[in-house]
């Protein structure tokens, strides 16, 4: 379902892709609430004074979105998926900066059914999750995308399905398999048979 506004989001995306840069100025106010929802999901459990505020995250994502005009835009859900990916990369970059030189510091796992909280205490776990997700993307890109959309972006099953052009049942199945694989991959090596990585599904 399109966001309400003077011009449909998808129409603005298509015109932006076609080279009408002014469309971006009309598009972003319509989706700002959605961008803030995604950003707030990342930051919702953080204490005051964390290193990256929700507004700063939205602003950084906005600057990166300006450079995405060549994306083959299809719909609002796809746009939100791209925004979620950009925010993930921004947060992981911040987390890696905090973790630099502190590898092996006893990172805790991040529950995959919980929104990401960005803090020095959890930054190592966020980096580990990002590394595992990149590994998953190497052999099963769709499952990795679904994790990104559902866990990082907070998109519903239906929104994720629309973004990827698949049936919602596919999202449900792949989401479940990806969570099992990631939890196994992120568990202590001693808990994994042979300490080896395995493909998901």
């Amino acid at each position: 379902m399109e966001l309400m506004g003077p011009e449909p989001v998808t129409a603005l995306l298509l015109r932006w892709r076609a080279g009408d840069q002014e469309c971006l100025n009309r598009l972003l106010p319509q989706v700002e609430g959605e961008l803030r929802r995604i950003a707030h999901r990342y930051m919702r459990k953080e204490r005051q004074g964390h290193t990256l505020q929700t507004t700063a995250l939205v602003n950084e994502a906005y600057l990166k979105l300006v450079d995405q005009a060549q994306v083959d835009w299809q719909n609002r859900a796809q746009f939100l998926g791209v925004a979620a990916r950009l925010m993930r990369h921004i947060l992981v970059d911040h987390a890696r900066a905090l973790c630099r030189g502190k590898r092996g510091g006893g990172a805790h796992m991040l529950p995959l059914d919980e929104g990401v909280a960005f803090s020095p205490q959890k930054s190592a776990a966020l980096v580990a999750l990002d590394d595992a997700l990149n590994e998953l993307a190497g052999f099963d890109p769709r499952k990795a995308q679904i994790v990104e959309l559902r866990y990082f972006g907070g998109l519903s099953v239906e929104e994720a399905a629309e973004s990827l052009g698949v049936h919602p049942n596919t999202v449900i199945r792949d989401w479940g398999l990806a969570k099992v694989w990631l939890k196994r991959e992120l568990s202590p090596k001693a808990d994994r048979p042979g300490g080896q990585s395995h493909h998901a599904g």
Side-chain angles (χ1 to χ4, degrees):
M1 187 173 185
E2 292 287 359
L3 296 176
M4 297 301 293
E7 189 168 358
V9 169
T10 297
L12 288 171
L13 287 169
L14 294 176
R15 289 176 56 192
W16 179 30
R17 185 185 67 183
D20 186 348
Q21 294 299 312
E22 178 60 27
C23 283
L24 184 62
N25 294 329
R26 294 199 295 275
L27 171 67
L28 288 174
Q30 292 194 49
V31 297
E32 183 180 6
E34 294 281 5
L35 294 180
R36 288 190 173 277
R37 176 181 65 82
I38 294 171
H40 182 67
R41 179 176 171 81
Y42 283 112
M43 315 295 282
R44 66 182 180 179
K45 295 186 178 180
E46 192 48 75
R47 54 172 170 62
Q48 285 190 332
H50 51 65
T51 57
L52 193 64
Q53 300 288 342
T54 298
T55 299
L57 178 56
V58 170
N59 289 342
E60 286 197 41
Y62 168 82
L63 292 175
K64 291 181 179 295
L65 280 166
V66 170
D67 296 326
Q68 303 296 312
Q70 298 308 310
V71 172
D72 186 19
W73 297 113
Q74 302 294 328
N75 52 48
R76 165 184 162 272
Q78 181 203 21
F79 177 83
L80 295 178
V82 171
R85 182 177 308 115
L86 292 173
M87 289 187 191
R88 168 194 164 197
H89 291 165
I90 291 166
L91 286 179
V92 169
D93 285 347
H94 279 260
R96 288 188 189 280
L98 285 174
C99 290
R100 197 164 290 132
K102 298 181 180 179
R103 291 192 179 276
H108 298 289
M109 288 181 62
L110 288 170
L112 289 174
D113 293 315
E114 174 183 306
V116 180
F118 182 77
S119 69
Q121 290 76 20
K122 290 188 177 181
S123 58
L126 179 57
V127 168
L129 175 59
D130 184 69
D131 288 342
L133 198 54
N134 288 334
E135 183 177 345
L136 177 60
F139 63 84
D140 200 327
R142 189 177 68 197
K143 285 188 177 67
Q145 284 182 289
I146 287 172
V147 173
E148 191 167 62
L149 294 172
R150 297 277 290 126
Y151 177 58
F152 284 94
L155 271 65
S156 68
V157 168
E158 291 73 19
E159 288 173 324
E162 181 183 2
S163 178
L164 296 174
V166 299
H167 194 278
N169 287 345
T170 298
V171 172
I172 293 170
R173 184 188 68 241
D174 282 1
W175 171 234
L177 291 172
K179 285 197 294 183
V180 169
W181 185 87
L182 286 168
K183 286 178 179 178
R184 181 174 58 197
E185 190 68 16
L186 292 169
S187 66
K189 292 187 183 299
D191 295 344
R192 285 187 266 153
Q196 300 295 317
S197 296
H198 302 277
H199 284 196

